[in-house]
Amino acid sequence: MTSVVSSSITTIRIGSRKSQLALIQTYWVKEQLSKKFPDIKFEVHTMSTKGDKILDVALAKIGDKALFTKELELGMMNREIDFAVHSLKDLPTRLPEGLGLAAISERENPADALVVHEKHKDKQIETLPKGAVIGTSSLRRLAQLRHHFPHFEFKDVRGNLNTRLAKLDSGEYDALILAAAGLGRLGMAERIHQVIPKEISLHAVGQGALGIECLSDNEQLISLLKEAIEHPQTRDRCLAERAFLRDLEGGCQVPIGVNTEINGDELTMTGIVASIDGTKRVQDTVTGSLSDPEKLGSELAQRLREQGAQEILDEIFATLERG
């Protein structure tokens, strides 16, 4: 397959956001492709997305499920780029007509991480003092942490990672909750003070993995991407997670968390839906065959809906629409 692909394609244009993390991820993908297909030229083209431009409003209040992807998707449809690299957790579960998820990379640690101000270096999240100011821009993290730690004060934090860490180090926050994978990719793993246990915070759908999106009818490019990038176990886990989120009709900014594990030929998946204040939550676990991960995700979504998840989500959507 490699010789067929490489003999008919000479240049491939890769779309990326301009953020430091996005570029690190994109150049990693470019490197994997260049190793596999040395006769093809891979070019990186950058674009600014709506999510990159609006930094003074909480993500959940912007109300757009394609905050970090829309401009890149337009670039693909207009044939300006051939494919785009996304943090999979930012990629909506329902893609525009004509576009598809071509490949999913091997997952980094999908857990959330606690990063603390120096004065709390002897603390864990369980021992931070009452009234500690915790920074997060994620409703999912907020809902789960409020449930376990109602005595903390939670404050929205936006901007790139360096900006967030600078605010923490200046004393504006006592701690931040960030993705362990992002810190690792940026070479800042030493800032991870504690990996948050899944018993406290289930991670976001797709967190830790990269999603490669392209035109769904470009079979040759899809074959190339799968050969160089696809990681089967991560793909199965993430397809189950995305089906779970899609069936609950939740966008990226709703309090829905997951955890998936593969044991042999079985996939075990835990999911949670919580109210923003953390007082209401439904959680369940399913185990099934790896042969149809999306079916398992849909089954878990149905279970949670029967336990009251839809009522919680409807309340959240109504609250966000009111502003």
Side-chain angles (χ1 to χ4, degrees):
M1 182 180 69
T2 301
S3 60
V4 174
V5 171
S6 60
S7 65
S8 57
I9 299 177
T10 58
T11 303
I12 293 177
R13 300 158 300 173
I14 310 171
S16 174
R17 291 167 55 198
K18 293 182 177 180
S19 75
Q20 182 185 7
L21 178 57
L23 287 171
I24 286 173
Q25 295 174 166
T26 299
Y27 277 99
W28 177 84
V29 169
K30 179 178 181 286
E31 182 182 1
Q32 306 314 303
L33 288 164
S34 296
K35 287 178 184 177
K36 196 76 176 179
F37 305 104
D39 295 332
I40 299 177
K41 180 182 179 182
F42 295 95
E43 301 174 346
V44 174
H45 296 248
T46 60
M47 300 179 182
S48 292
T49 67
K50 184 176 181 181
D52 296 314
K53 297 172 183 176
I54 304 176
L55 298 176
D56 57 348
V57 180
L59 290 174
K61 294 182 179 179
I62 301 174
D64 189 342
K65 293 181 182 180
L67 284 174
F68 299 107
T69 61
K70 188 173 182 179
E71 288 78 5
L72 291 164
E73 290 172 336
L74 287 173
M76 285 181 278
M77 289 185 280
N78 292 334
R79 304 299 199 276
E80 296 166 3
I81 55 176
D82 296 299
F83 72 86
V85 179
H86 306 286
S87 292
L88 188 57
K89 67 181 179 62
D90 294 332
L91 187 63
T93 57
R94 299 181 189 278
L95 301 180
E97 185 176 354
L99 294 176
L101 181 56
I104 299 174
S105 73
E106 183 172 5
R107 187 175 226 164
E108 301 287 339
N109 186 347
D112 293 328
L114 176 73
V115 181
V116 299
H117 187 277
E118 186 178 14
K119 66 185 177 183
H120 297 304
K121 62 184 179 182
D122 61 335
K123 304 287 197 306
Q124 298 283 281
I125 193 166
E126 299 89 344
T127 56
L128 286 170
K130 180 179 180 180
V133 178
I134 312 298
T136 177
S137 59
S138 162
L139 292 186
R140 173 190 57 82
R141 292 169 181 153
L142 180 64
Q144 294 184 87
L145 293 172
R146 274 180 169 163
H147 173 79
H148 292 283
F149 309 107
H151 55 283
F152 291 161
E153 179 184 342
F154 294 94
K155 184 177 176 182
D156 192 64
V157 58
R158 293 291 313 280
N160 63 39
L161 192 56
N162 288 324
T163 298
R164 298 185 197 193
L165 291 173
K167 291 179 178 180
L168 170 68
D169 294 338
S170 71
E172 190 173 336
Y173 301 86
D174 290 291
L176 301 178
I177 308 296
L178 302 167
L183 287 162
R185 289 188 179 118
L186 285 166
M188 297 182 182
E190 77 281 355
R191 293 300 305 258
I192 297 176
H193 186 70
Q194 178 189 8
V195 174
I196 305 297
K198 62 184 179 181
E199 292 76 17
I200 292 176
S201 182
L202 294 179
H203 61 74
V205 165
Q207 187 159 305
L210 305 182
I212 313 299
E213 184 183 19
C214 73
L215 294 174
S216 53
D217 62 358
N218 193 337
E219 295 180 3
Q220 198 171 30
L221 178 58
I222 292 171
S223 295
L224 178 151
L225 290 166
K226 285 189 180 300
E227 183 176 349
I229 305 298
E230 186 97 295
H231 185 257
Q233 284 201 338
T234 301
R235 175 199 63 212
D236 291 341
R237 291 171 64 189
C238 290
L239 288 179
E241 294 172 14
R242 287 173 63 80
F244 170 68
L245 180 61
R246 182 172 59 246
D247 283 20
L248 285 173
E249 298 182 346
C252 295
Q253 288 300 314
V254 289
I256 293 176
V258 295
N259 184 74
T260 48
E261 297 176 0
I262 291 177
N263 295 292
D265 59 358
E266 285 192 331
L267 175 66
T268 297
M269 181 175 182
T270 299
I272 189 171
V273 175
S275 61
I276 297 175
D277 63 8
T279 60
K280 301 176 184 176
R281 44 192 268 145
V282 291
Q283 181 171 325
D284 208 338
T285 300
V286 295
T287 297
S289 171
L290 266 177
S291 62
D292 193 350
E294 291 183 286
K295 180 181 178 182
L296 196 66
S298 296
E299 178 186 336
L300 182 58
Q302 182 59 33
R303 280 200 194 186
L304 292 193
R305 188 177 285 111
E306 291 169 355
Q307 296 172 36
Q310 196 61 54
E311 289 79 3
I312 293 174
L313 290 172
D314 288 344
E315 289 179 12
I316 292 168
F317 295 143
T319 300
L320 294 176
E321 285 175 5
R322 290 196 297 268

